[in-house]
Amino acid sequence: DDAAEESNVSAELVALRKRLVDEWNAWRTRLKAEFFGEGGKQDGLPADAQSEKEEIE
Amino acid sequence: MRPILLQGHERPLTQIKFNAEGDLLFTCSKDQVINVWYSHNGERLGTYDGNNGSVWTVDVDSESRFLVSGAADNTMRLWNVATGKCLYIWEFPTAVKRVAFNEDDTKVVCITEQRMGHQCAIRVFEINREGDGADQSQEPLHFFNPIGSKATVCAFTLMPDIIITGHESGKVALFNVKTGEEVENNERAHGSDVTDLQLSKDRTYCVTSSKDKIARIHDTKTLMVIKTYTTETPLNSAALAPNRPYVLVGGGQDAKDVTTTSQRQGKFETRFWHKVYEEEVGRVKGHFGPINTIAVHPAGTGFASGGEDGFVRMHHFDDSYFKAQPYGAVDIED
């Protein structure tokens, strides 16, 4: 029983971590798309023309 | 991971910065000197002399051509990185606490201290990159006094004319430098002084550290808190590790604030936190006093820390760091 419980807990932890990674990756993808456009540069600096598009109200 | 000890400062370090390639490390200190070192072997390449007060802050442009510094002698200085020559001096009524270049090296933002009847001020200067760099304008492009709590740290975001700031009250805010208007804020980002703010490589998010013992990741567009790392010691610096899912934090109580010796135990370590799981994954010891500033090599191959003890420690990660997959193999976006 103990062993079953333990593996249960770790399964929950694994699920939690998977959720955290999925949330993080979704946020990063969304943020990069907002700044650099869909399929925009993954790292480094954006082209000037691209960054000019971003106006904050 | 054998650290290289960079010995050359006689007083506490205030800020350290790698250049874009990561081959050079710039360090500034209360000893009034700025040093530059080869990061691979810790050899000192040169110094930038001339300040008459603690140098609080330093930043280098993306070409490693110009260095900008701010000091307690109420000056901001522009230096030629290669020759060590001071190219231009801007003078203010109070000390310069933070300087930072924008992403294309054309502007510098600077924070001056609130003191002697002068309010905290944020100025943006255009940097004339023509010629030898000695022909600069004394007049700022933009100038404003941020409302409310004084600003302690700042950086340019990717949004035109928008800077992100950290404040003494714990606030994190976005200001339009043209109008001086606060366009967004998170009053409760931290419970105490924001001590450091470092942007991700693509400038889309940032990490802050605070005296409230917490480091946080914020979305630079909405200022939403994305992650929180809670420690037991006041933090002076926080940095993001490129290509690996870690946040590095450092701090420690000032010696003058420590009343019992036991409290000092284990407080002067650089602590590695898993960026996504918000769990501590490791610590690096070495300093004899609080860690004041941390910088990660832009390629993510090592990091340096500057301490209240006057030492800079440069660490190159070993293979195990790159292979380690704490909590399993997952792909985490940088």
Side-chain angles (χ1 to χ4, degrees), chain B residues 31-81:
Chain B
D31 66 10
Q32 315 189 0
V33 173
I34 304 162
N35 281 318
V36 57
W37 318 77
Y38 285 118
S39 61
H40 73 279
N41 63 4
E43 186 191 329
R44 186 162 61 177
L45 178 62
T47 61
Y48 302 87
D49 281 313
N51 278 109
N52 299 307
S54 298
V55 185
W56 294 121
T57 175
V58 69
D59 198 15
V60 58
D61 72 13
S62 65
E63 297 175 358
S64 306
R65 184 173 163 215
F66 295 137
L67 185 74
V68 64
S69 64
D73 62 6
N74 305 349
T75 66
M76 179 169 88
R77 290 167 196 247
L78 188 73
W79 309 84
N80 179 315
V81 168

Side-chain angles (χ1 to χ4, degrees), chain A residues 17 20-21 24-25 27-28 31-32 34-36 42 44-46 51 54 56, chain B residues 103 158 160 162 202 204-205 219 221 226 275-277 279 327 331-334:
Chain A
R17 286 181 179 144
L20 291 174
V21 169
W24 173 272
N25 287 348
W27 168 66
R28 289 300 295 138
L31 201 61
K32 284 179 197 172
E34 280 175 22
F35 278 103
F36 311 122
Q42 292 298 294
L45 300 170
S51 67
E54 280 308 326
I56 169 159
Chain B
E103 73 278 12
L158 288 178
I162 304 292
D202 67 4
T204 62
Y205 67 101
D219 186 319
K221 208 166 179 184
I226 303 297
K275 192 161 74 173
V276 176
Y277 304 144
E279 289 176 36
Y327 320 116
D331 283 329
I332 296 170
E333 293 269 330
D334 206 25

